[in-house]
Amino acid sequence: ETGVTQSPTHLIKTRGQQVTLRCSSQSGHNTVSWYQQALGQGPQFIFQYYREEENGRGNFPPRFSGLQFPNYSSELNVNALELDDSALYLCASSLGGGALNTEAFFGQGTRLTVV
Amino acid sequence: DQQVKQNSPSLSVQEGRISILNCDYTNSMFDYFLWYKKYPAEGPTFLISISSIKDKNEDGRFTVFLNKSAKHLSLHIVPSQPGDSAVYFCASPSSVSGGGADGLTFGKGTHLIIQP
């Protein structure tokens, strides 16, 4: 059973650029959630994908978008990067779409720095 | 919507003693709470949860207590060990209507330091 893996682990981008972060979900899991964790804060929910469709979204602007693929891996895309987008981006996989995230397994995160 | 507050950014406890981490919430309609533990350079790991039909849930050295009238929960670790040094997050589903599809709302976390 493989765990949740995220790539890259670290990334530096310039303000205004676009970035794509990737997540491979745990074997057998069909749901992926993305979170942003700013320094000194708890993770903040961005959105969730279930069976390739976005089925829940937090308070993030449309320049944050995502995809889920048939193998349930996922991408987080952020356009027009701003300095405040600098954060740790966490992916969590689970089974069951709208079910509680009781058994959500997190990846190690991608540290994004926007300069 | 739910707000989850952890008012202690850090806590230092001697090895072998009890660690008590606290969490307050705002919306009593929510009935499920989780604790996650996070080491540096790793993602959060699920630790223990509690449903509002209970006021206590125990798993080995970890016990979570829920006080619904005070909208307060606490995590007790007994005895505390050096490996328990980490950041602990309290979390709850973000909305009643959306269930898990609206993700979890996390507190800011408490950095627990276990001193030898």
Side-chain angles (χ1 to χ4, degrees):
Chain A
E1 185 175 272
T2 57
V4 179
T5 57
Q6 293 184 241
S7 62
T9 55
H10 295 84
L11 197 55
I12 299 174
K13 287 287 190 178
T14 302
R15 189 172 51 182
Q17 284 187 315
Q18 178 266 342
V19 69
T20 297
L21 310 182
R22 294 177 175 84
C23 172
S24 295
S25 59
Q26 180 151 322
S27 177
H29 285 183
N30 57 14
T31 303
V32 173
S33 302
W34 285 91
Y35 289 82
Q36 180 196 67
Q37 186 182 7
L39 200 61
Q41 304 294 317
Q44 189 173 358
F45 177 68
I46 302 174
F47 45 56
Q48 181 181 92
Y49 276 81
Y50 171 62
R51 294 185 176 178
E52 303 178 56
E53 297 286 334
E54 182 182 300
N55 74 332
R57 188 176 184 94
N59 188 26
F60 279 80
R63 60 189 185 84
F64 285 78
S65 63
L67 283 173
Q68 188 178 31
F69 300 99
N71 66 354
Y72 302 129
S73 65
S74 177
E75 288 183 353
L76 164 65
N77 299 291
V78 187
N79 293 322
L81 283 166
E82 301 176 359
L83 296 179
D84 285 348
D85 295 334
S86 297
L88 179 68
Y89 288 85
L90 294 162
C91 163
S93 81
S94 58
L95 185 63
L100 288 171
N101 289 291
T102 309
E103 299 296 334
F105 293 87
F106 282 84
Q108 83 283 7
T110 294
R111 173 72 62 187
L112 173 64
T113 302
V114 182
V115 297
Chain B
D1 285 349
Q2 178 72 287
Q3 287 189 24
V4 175
K5 297 177 182 179
Q6 294 177 260
N7 293 318
S8 298
S10 66
L11 175 67
S12 183
V13 175
Q14 200 165 12
E15 181 179 357
R17 307 292 286 268
I18 183 172
S19 295
I20 301 176
L21 296 96
N22 295 304
C23 178
D24 297 303
Y25 60 95
T26 57
N27 192 330
S28 57
M29 287 184 64
F30 291 84
D31 59 2
Y32 194 77
F33 301 91
L34 309 92
W35 284 93
Y36 280 83
K37 173 180 179 179
K38 187 179 184 301
Y39 293 118
E42 293 184 14
T45 303
F46 170 74
L47 192 57
I48 192 169
S49 62
I50 189 165
S51 166
S52 62
I53 61 173
K54 296 183 175 182
D55 54 16
K56 174 184 172 181
N57 189 25
E58 190 172 354
D59 184 1
R61 298 186 296 113
F62 302 90
T63 303
V64 56
F65 295 91
L66 178 61
N67 183 334
K68 293 183 282 291
S69 61
K71 298 181 188 175
H72 176 85
L73 61 155
S74 60
L75 174 68
H76 293 213
I77 306 173
V78 182
S80 299
Q81 298 175 354
D84 296 331
S85 294
V87 178
Y88 290 78
F89 293 100
C90 171
S92 175
S94 297
S95 72
V96 175
S97 60
D102 286 340
L104 296 170
T105 295
F106 285 82
K108 290 186 177 182
T110 296
H111 185 194
L112 177 64
I113 302 163
I114 304 302
Q115 295 182 334

